[in-house]
Amino acid sequence: MNVTRRTLMAALSAAAALPAGLWRAAAQSVTGAVTAVVNTVKSRKPSAPPDAAPTPVAEGEPVEPGTTFETAKRSAVEISLADGSVAVIGARSIATVGGGDAMQMGQGNFRYRSGKGEGVNRALSTPALLVALKGTELVVSVDETRTICGVVEGTIVCTSRKTGASVEVPAGNSVVWGAGSFGQGVTPGIYRTGDVAVDDGIAAARTAWTGAPPPTPEPTPEPTPAPTPGAPNPGRPRPQPGPQPGGR
């Protein structure tokens, strides 16, 4: 996404311009950037005073490690992380991004697609579970009594914080943690949370919750074919022959 690239590159470029001793700390302070906001989303940054009120979130703003996001009814936020991962926080949800785990999901509905390659943070958490990722896209639903994980792509390993019990969940399956166990274990099908932003994407949520139509992609211009050698140029009129000597 263009907003993400511009924001991350600007932040990292500013860090690179610092003295060598400060560059590493400054670069590590860039967790990612907000790439989409639907309706009311607020955040609390770790650098803010402890008694500071949460502030409204805007598209394009950088995300500090350990920033906590809170969404209102019919609201959502998408965050693109510096390691290539993308997180969506659905309506009436609370999560902390960076600062240890890639995302700590307190309550609500979430979607997370991990980045590829080395250096990707592959750890998520909820109050009940630790979730290890392997090239994964998943949805997570968290409330006071249960945590549900549905795997769209890749594989996850869910481990109970309390008992240490764990289960591996491959793509196309879901698992429920509740009442101190994984219950029926891994079951076929990807759980749908009922949250439009998480299940169907930010663009669908914007349409459903604001009435705004999704943006129309700009048409790609047709390439101009190269002229054939010896062929007349269609963009330039051909010269007409003049009268010949001796002609009438």
Side-chain angles (χ1 to χ4, degrees):
M1 298 181 183
N2 291 335
V3 172
T4 308
R5 292 193 184 100
R6 285 200 302 268
T7 304
L8 291 179
M9 290 304 296
L12 289 171
S13 295
L18 293 172
L22 299 179
W23 185 89
R24 182 177 179 84
Q28 288 178 336
S29 71
V30 181
T31 288
V34 175
T35 47
V37 176
V38 180
N39 294 330
T40 306
V41 181
K42 295 185 177 181
S43 72
R44 187 187 301 275
K45 296 178 174 60
S47 59
D51 56 348
T55 57
V57 172
E59 290 186 11
E61 70 177 58
V63 177
E64 298 178 16
T67 298
T68 297
F69 291 87
E70 183 171 356
T71 59
K73 179 180 179 181
R74 297 169 68 87
S75 302
V77 61
E78 179 186 79
I79 302 159
S80 294
L81 306 181
D83 65 7
S85 303
V86 179
V88 173
I89 302 173
R92 290 178 169 173
S93 300
I94 300 174
T96 299
V97 178
D101 296 335
M103 186 162 68
Q104 302 159 50
M105 300 165 282
Q107 68 177 45
N109 298 305
F110 312 90
R111 191 178 195 97
Y112 192 89
R113 184 175 73 246
S114 67
K116 308 292 184 181
E118 297 298 325
V120 174
N121 190 336
R122 296 181 171 88
L124 305 178
S125 64
T126 75
L129 299 177
L130 302 175
V131 183
L133 312 178
K134 298 178 182 179
T136 304
E137 182 174 0
L138 76 161
V139 296
V140 181
S141 183
V142 181
D143 63 27
E144 295 179 354
T145 62
R146 64 181 187 173
T147 298
I148 306 174
C149 298
V151 183
V152 179
E153 180 183 350
T155 303
I156 65 173
V157 176
C158 297
T159 303
S160 166
R161 289 179 179 272
K162 186 174 182 180
T163 69
S166 66
V167 62
E168 184 173 281
V169 189
N173 293 272
S174 299
V175 70
V176 180
W177 172 268
S181 76
F182 286 109
Q184 298 179 357
V186 177
T187 56
I190 302 169
Y191 178 73
R192 286 186 66 85
T193 67
D195 186 293
V196 177
V198 172
D199 293 338
D200 303 317
I202 282 287
R206 183 174 281 117
T207 300
W209 294 341
T210 69
T216 303
E218 295 184 5
T220 303
E222 293 283 341
T224 302
T228 304
N233 186 341
R236 179 179 298 175
R238 299 180 64 181
Q240 298 299 319
Q244 300 298 318
R248 293 183 181 179

